[in-house]
Amino acid sequence: MKAEIITIGDEILIGQTIDSNSAWLGENLGLIGVRVSRIVTISDDEEEIRSALNESFSRVDLVLMTGGLGPTQDDITKKTLAGYFNSEFYFNEEVAAEIKAYFNSIGREPLEVNLKQAELPVKCTTILNTRGTASGMWFENDGKVLMSMPGVPYEMKGLMKDEVFKKIQTTFKTPAVYNRTILTIGVGESSIAAQLEQWETKLRDEGLGLAYLPSAGMVRLRVSGVGEDMVSIKKRVDQKITEALAVIGEISYGFDADSLAEIVGKLLKENNQTLSLAESCTGGYISHLITSVAGSSEFYDGSVVTYSYDTKKNWVGVSPESLAKYGAVSKSVVEEMALGVKEKFNTDYGISASGIAGPGGATEDKPVGTVWVGIATPSGVTSHLFTFGKHRLRNIIMTSNAALNILRKELLN
Amino acid sequence: MKAEIITIGDEILIGQTIDSNSAWLGENLGLIGVRVSRIVTISDDEEEIRSALNESFSRVDLVLMTGGLGPTQDDITKKTLAGYFNSEFYFNEEVAAEIKAYFNSIGREPLEVNLKQAELPVKCTTILNTRGTASGMWFENDGKVLMSMPGVPYEMKGLMKDEVFKKIQTTFKTPAVYNRTILTIGVGESSIAAQLEQWETKLRDEGLGLAYLPSAGMVRLRVSGVGEDMVSIKKRVDQKITEALAVIGEISYGFDADSLAEIVGKLLKENNQTLSLAESCTGGYISHLITSVAGSSEFYDGSVVTYSYDTKKNWVGVSPESLAKYGAVSKSVVEEMALGVKEKFNTDYGISASGIAGPGGATEDKPVGTVWVGIATPSGVTSHLFTFGKHRLRNIIMTSNAALNILRKELLN
């Protein structure tokens, strides 16, 4: 069972919005056995919408459309779809009531332009949007289905989860699909591929799929299978996963949607241990990763961002001598930071990071991308030197991931 | 001048990677007068690649292709393109040398699979990739151009900036395009649209374009013009921007790619003032936004993440009485946090945030999404109550943006 996604919006074509909806749809349709075979992004233009629809329906029976349903004048999708399906409009009282209720819940009255969103094509099944004012529209004609939804991710996801996934499953027959992804950190794509070469050849001979997905110091390996029977596919994929893990070892930190911060948090909770941070070049990003996971307060009371010499001295007790002698980006300083924050917050682990995030700040022997990460543990302190690249935000992210990975390995040993 | 983007990668279709390359290409091609009229994402499959190429070339003369050039077995793009353009392969010594140099720079030797990337089609112009091992390939045939690039964003952007933008401009004649985007925060899309209705009608009558781009409490308004003469288009667009600003006032915080953190940083530097933060529910994210901007150390020495009652008391001097009487999510506590951190870091401004990010932690009178933001200024302390939604990460982002906006308004007055 294949489907295509049509995304409408000049904002995506001119690059002011990144299309995150399609990724979410691709992933979640996959879970119900619908494979997204194409994603097409077009502009808010009647002719473009019509031609994209014709092309998609020539290839597949299910098209999901996002965007182009806002209350403002640049959105013409609803009118175009009504024309495409030869439909009149009517005023949907239920939708109007929902729009009024929505505005009341945020303490306002709907404007006329908002109530116009209750005008809907007669020939579609309206999927009520309880999170916003643009309704979902399910058009079904001659075995082909078009589902049109607003582009606001939170609203689109709500419509899909509340009704659309179920409606797709009852309307179409779908095969069993199973994906499992091994998450790794610290080793490059080609090295992993070289280690797994024999395994990969066998996997492909068995009709399973594999993809390498690298990003910022991490590589994900996705193994996938499609067929009639979920139980046997799942068994075959899981068997290959087990074999791969035996080859690659501890560079694997989790599966699928696991985050490194989540894994580290679980290990800390299992050990009944606590963590604090002294962040310099990462500027709070490690703390953000930790606290993005609900429940982190069980092992995390807080941390300090020590962005200057003074805050390093005053807040985590780094010695003026070390700063003067070695500079802030040094083994001595990150070790003192890690020990200092561990002591001040009275935690089991203290993590620190100090580096040249760039673009400024480089010296002759410390180019942009030079980063020291320190870790104080119940049994001592160590530190690790990294040489990342030239890009500030990427350096911040790679440093934060590397720091979490150091802690993960420490917690496993 | 129109172009299409073809993105190759099952990882995008199954939703494990978000296609951020296309947005970047769309934005940056726009700046040289090339409008991206369609983005198509397909799988790593020879037939799919061929049919997508045929379709795109039936509509436009320039196609940019990203992805599918990795060293691992799932990438078949290079072979398919050589076939599509009836080309043999040869071994490019310059590329091989570059691959060896790249691996040496990261302290490794290239594997055989890496050196295979020096095998390239005879019929393309090779665009050297100094950031990775997959070369760019520029195919030109009968007035049509295909530019194939690796999918790693950092490598793709490097190729475009180093050579491809220039090559497009010298190969095609391009019109003048000018976009300018007003960035706003704190007011919804429909309210702004209602305020600007007359202005918008006039703008459209004058042949200019407008789009509303909402996201997490912010709305961007993009005004665009296309034509032969850049000077006159720019003048017309800028005139409309000035008119809009007169209507919407201080909800506008900047233009185009400005970030709120950047704007706030500029204002602090102009005033020669400093900032510190005491973050609870935002968990370091405000600090991350601040330090994402290079040069933030000029006004920012650091901050604390006070994630528990104890750290609120011990690190920024919140009184046990306030915590006991009002709870951590309260006017009293955020005001004490803001005053405390301002004093401890000896800064001109202290910002604090405490709220129920969710999904847990709600009480009867404080549902998930309840957030207090405090600000201590040279002349006193105030606080602001917000009611955001149910989504943890969205609440963290919206709180951080709201906090920066409160500081921005304070700095303007």
Side-chain angles (χ1 to χ4, degrees):
Chain A
M1 169 77 193
K2 291 195 297 184
E4 295 196 6
I5 296 171
I6 299 177
T7 303
I8 297 175
D10 289 331
E11 66 274 21
I12 294 171
L13 294 170
I14 75 156
Q16 287 192 312
T17 301
I18 290 172
D19 175 23
S20 62
N21 283 341
S22 296
W24 188 88
L25 282 169
E27 182 177 353
N28 288 281
L29 287 167
L31 299 178
I32 62 161
V34 177
R35 186 170 73 80
V36 172
S37 52
R38 196 174 282 222
I39 301 165
V40 180
T41 305
I42 54 175
S43 85
D44 283 293
D45 174 278
E46 180 164 350
E47 262 322 296
E48 285 284 313
I49 295 172
R50 282 177 169 273
S51 80
L53 270 176
N54 284 336
E55 287 165 25
S56 288
F57 278 134
S58 77
R59 291 182 293 253
V60 297
D61 293 336
L62 173 62
V63 175
L64 292 123
M65 185 176 270
T66 60
L69 298 179
T72 49
Q73 294 177 29
D74 57 313
D75 294 320
I76 53 133
T77 308
K78 194 168 67 176
K79 222 168 48 188
T80 303
L81 295 184
Y84 189 85
F85 289 98
N86 297 311
S87 177
E88 301 292 312
F89 280 97
Y90 74 114
F91 191 78
N92 185 316
E93 295 291 348
E94 192 191 5
V95 170
E98 195 65 37
I99 291 171
K100 282 177 201 157
Y102 170 79
F103 274 89
N104 290 342
S105 81
I106 57 168
R108 289 169 43 198
E109 285 297 314
L111 303 171
E112 198 190 316
V113 70
N114 299 120
L115 283 173
K116 264 198 79 117
Q117 297 201 288
E119 287 173 17
L120 287 159
V122 177
K123 286 199 186 164
C124 77
T125 305
T126 300
I127 313 285
L128 212 62
N129 180 358
T130 54
R131 296 163 186 83
T133 55
S135 299
M137 297 179 283
W138 172 283
F139 292 93
E140 198 170 336
N141 186 32
D142 213 9
K144 307 259 181 193
V145 167
L146 169 69
M147 178 66 216
S148 159
M149 292 171 286
V152 180
Y154 159 68
E155 298 179 22
M156 181 279 291
K157 291 175 194 175
L159 287 172
M160 290 299 297
K161 285 190 274 196
D162 289 350
E163 296 205 36
V164 183
F165 286 124
K166 275 172 267 167
K167 229 168 139 53
I168 290 171
Q169 285 174 301
T170 55
T171 308
F172 297 98
K173 289 192 196 303
T174 59
V177 178
Y178 183 67
N179 294 303
R180 194 153 165 82
T181 303
I182 302 174
L183 311 176
T184 75
I185 180 166
V187 174
E189 177 182 2
S190 14
S191 295
I192 300 176
Q195 285 182 61
L196 288 176
E197 197 178 351
Q198 285 192 308
W199 169 86
E200 179 174 349
T201 305
K202 241 182 88 189
L203 173 142
R204 294 200 186 273
D205 289 348
E206 291 172 23
L208 297 175
L210 176 72
Y212 285 87
L213 313 166
S215 68
M218 296 172 157
V219 178
R220 288 167 297 153
L221 276 77
R222 187 193 69 234
V223 180
S224 54
V226 183
E228 303 246 316
D229 171 38
M230 181 58 103
V231 176
S232 77
I233 291 165
K234 189 170 175 315
K235 204 174 145 191
R236 286 168 58 208
V237 169
D238 286 343
Q239 172 62 29
K240 299 307 288 185
I241 294 278
T242 307
E243 290 170 23
L245 291 176
V247 178
I248 60 174
E250 79 165 4
I251 65 163
S252 159
Y253 67 84
F255 299 98
D256 300 324
D258 287 347
S259 78
L260 194 50
E262 210 179 327
I263 299 290
V264 166
K266 262 188 211 156
L267 291 169
L268 283 166
K269 283 190 228 175
E270 280 167 22
N271 292 4
N272 213 8
Q273 290 179 310
T274 54
L275 170 69
S276 58
L277 313 164
E279 301 190 58
S280 185
C281 65
T282 48
Y285 195 70
I286 306 176
S287 178
H288 167 60
L289 292 177
I290 295 279
T291 56
S292 290
V293 183
S296 42
S297 57
E298 287 177 45
F299 60 87
Y300 182 70
D301 272 3
S303 64
V304 280
V305 177
T306 54
Y307 217 57
S308 66
Y309 275 44
D310 275 352
T311 51
K312 286 179 182 70
K313 286 184 276 189
N314 299 339
W315 289 78
V316 289
V318 173
S319 69
E321 294 72 30
S322 296
L323 285 165
K325 194 165 174 192
Y326 306 109
V329 181
S330 65
K331 183 178 177 64
S332 303
V333 167
V334 291
E335 293 190 355
E336 290 179 33
M337 285 166 72
L339 284 168
V341 77
K342 173 181 183 297
E343 193 195 313
K344 289 248 178 165
F345 278 86
N346 191 23
T347 52
D348 299 296
Y349 292 90
I351 292 267
S352 63
S354 183
I356 321 279
T363 62
E364 202 165 305
D365 55 334
K366 290 173 190 168
V368 169
T370 304
V371 173
W372 278 95
V373 172
I375 180 166
T377 71
S379 59
V381 64
T382 54
S383 52
H384 304 255
L385 173 65
F386 296 91
T387 311
F388 297 123
K390 291 193 166 44
H391 291 66
R392 185 179 184 82
L393 195 58
R394 193 177 156 92
N395 287 339
I396 291 171
I397 294 170
M398 289 185 80
T399 304
S400 301
N401 287 335
L404 290 175
N405 193 43
I406 288 167
L407 175 58
R408 179 184 70 90
K409 290 202 267 186
E410 196 64 48
L411 288 165
L412 288 175
N413 294 332
Chain B
M1 169 77 195
K2 292 195 296 184
E4 295 195 5
I5 296 171
I6 298 177
T7 303
I8 297 174
D10 289 331
E11 66 273 22
I12 293 170
L13 294 170
I14 76 155
Q16 287 192 312
T17 300
I18 290 173
D19 174 23
S20 62
N21 283 341
S22 296
W24 187 89
L25 282 169
E27 182 177 353
N28 287 281
L29 287 166
L31 298 178
I32 61 161
V34 176
R35 186 170 74 79
V36 172
S37 52
R38 195 175 283 222
I39 302 164
V40 180
T41 305
I42 55 175
S43 84
D44 282 293
D45 174 277
E46 180 164 351
E47 261 323 295
E48 285 284 312
I49 295 171
R50 282 177 170 273
S51 80
L53 270 176
N54 284 336
E55 287 165 24
S56 288
F57 278 135
S58 77
R59 291 180 295 253
V60 297
D61 294 336
L62 173 62
V63 176
L64 292 124
M65 184 176 270
T66 60
L69 298 178
T72 49
Q73 294 176 29
D74 58 314
D75 295 319
I76 53 134
T77 308
K78 193 167 68 176
K79 222 169 48 189
T80 303
L81 295 184
Y84 189 86
F85 289 98
N86 297 312
S87 177
E88 301 292 313
F89 280 97
Y90 74 114
F91 191 79
N92 186 316
E93 296 291 350
E94 191 190 5
V95 170
E98 194 65 35
I99 291 172
K100 283 177 200 157
Y102 170 79
F103 274 88
N104 291 341
S105 80
I106 57 169
R108 288 168 44 199
E109 284 297 312
L111 304 171
E112 198 189 317
V113 71
N114 300 119
L115 283 173
K116 262 197 81 114
Q117 298 201 289
E119 287 172 18
L120 287 159
V122 178
K123 286 200 186 163
C124 77
T125 305
T126 300
I127 313 284
L128 212 61
N129 180 358
T130 55
R131 296 162 186 83
T133 55
S135 299
M137 297 179 282
W138 172 282
F139 293 93
E140 198 170 335
N141 185 32
D142 213 9
K144 307 259 181 194
V145 167
L146 169 69
M147 178 67 216
S148 159
M149 292 171 285
V152 180
Y154 159 68
E155 298 179 23
M156 181 280 291
K157 291 175 193 174
L159 288 172
M160 290 299 298
K161 286 191 273 195
D162 290 350
E163 296 205 37
V164 183
F165 287 124
K166 274 173 266 167
K167 229 167 140 53
I168 291 170
Q169 284 173 301
T170 54
T171 308
F172 298 97
K173 288 193 197 304
T174 58
V177 178
Y178 184 66
N179 294 303
R180 194 153 165 83
T181 303
I182 302 174
L183 310 175
T184 75
I185 180 166
V187 174
E189 178 182 2
S190 14
S191 295
I192 300 176
Q195 285 182 58
L196 287 176
E197 197 179 354
Q198 284 193 307
W199 170 85
E200 179 174 349
T201 306
K202 241 182 87 188
L203 172 143
R204 296 201 185 272
D205 290 346
E206 291 172 23
L208 297 174
L210 176 72
Y212 285 87
L213 313 166
S215 68
M218 297 174 157
V219 178
R220 289 166 297 152
L221 276 77
R222 187 193 69 232
V223 180
S224 55
V226 184
E228 304 246 315
D229 172 38
M230 182 56 105
V231 176
S232 78
I233 291 164
K234 188 170 176 314
K235 204 174 146 192
R236 286 167 57 209
V237 169
D238 286 343
Q239 172 62 29
K240 298 308 287 185
I241 294 280
T242 307
E243 290 170 24
L245 291 176
V247 177
I248 60 173
E250 79 164 6
I251 65 164
S252 158
Y253 68 84
F255 299 97
D256 302 322
D258 288 347
S259 77
L260 195 50
E262 210 180 326
I263 298 290
V264 165
K266 261 188 212 157
L267 290 169
L268 283 166
K269 283 191 226 174
E270 280 168 22
N271 293 2
N272 212 9
Q273 290 179 311
T274 54
L275 170 69
S276 58
L277 312 164
E279 301 190 58
S280 185
C281 65
T282 47
Y285 194 70
I286 306 175
S287 178
H288 167 61
L289 293 177
I290 295 280
T291 56
S292 290
V293 183
S296 42
S297 57
E298 286 178 45
F299 60 87
Y300 182 70
D301 272 2
S303 64
V304 280
V305 176
T306 53
Y307 217 56
S308 65
Y309 274 44
D310 275 352
T311 51
K312 287 179 182 69
K313 286 185 275 190
N314 299 340
W315 290 78
V316 289
V318 172
S319 68
E321 294 73 30
S322 296
L323 285 165
K325 192 166 174 190
Y326 307 109
V329 181
S330 65
K331 183 178 176 63
S332 302
V333 167
V334 291
E335 292 190 355
E336 288 178 33
M337 285 166 72
L339 284 169
V341 78
K342 173 181 182 297
E343 193 195 315
K344 289 250 178 163
F345 278 87
N346 191 24
T347 53
D348 298 296
Y349 292 90
I351 293 267
S352 63
S354 184
I356 322 279
T363 62
E364 203 165 304
D365 56 334
K366 290 173 189 168
V368 169
T370 304
V371 173
W372 277 96
V373 172
I375 181 167
T377 71
S379 60
V381 64
T382 54
S383 53
H384 304 255
L385 173 65
F386 296 91
T387 311
F388 297 123
K390 291 194 166 43
H391 291 67
R392 185 178 183 84
L393 195 58
R394 195 177 155 91
N395 286 339
I396 291 171
I397 294 169
M398 289 185 81
T399 303
S400 301
N401 287 335
L404 290 175
N405 193 42
I406 288 167
L407 176 58
R408 179 185 69 92
K409 289 202 268 186
E410 196 64 49
L411 287 165
L412 288 175
N413 295 330

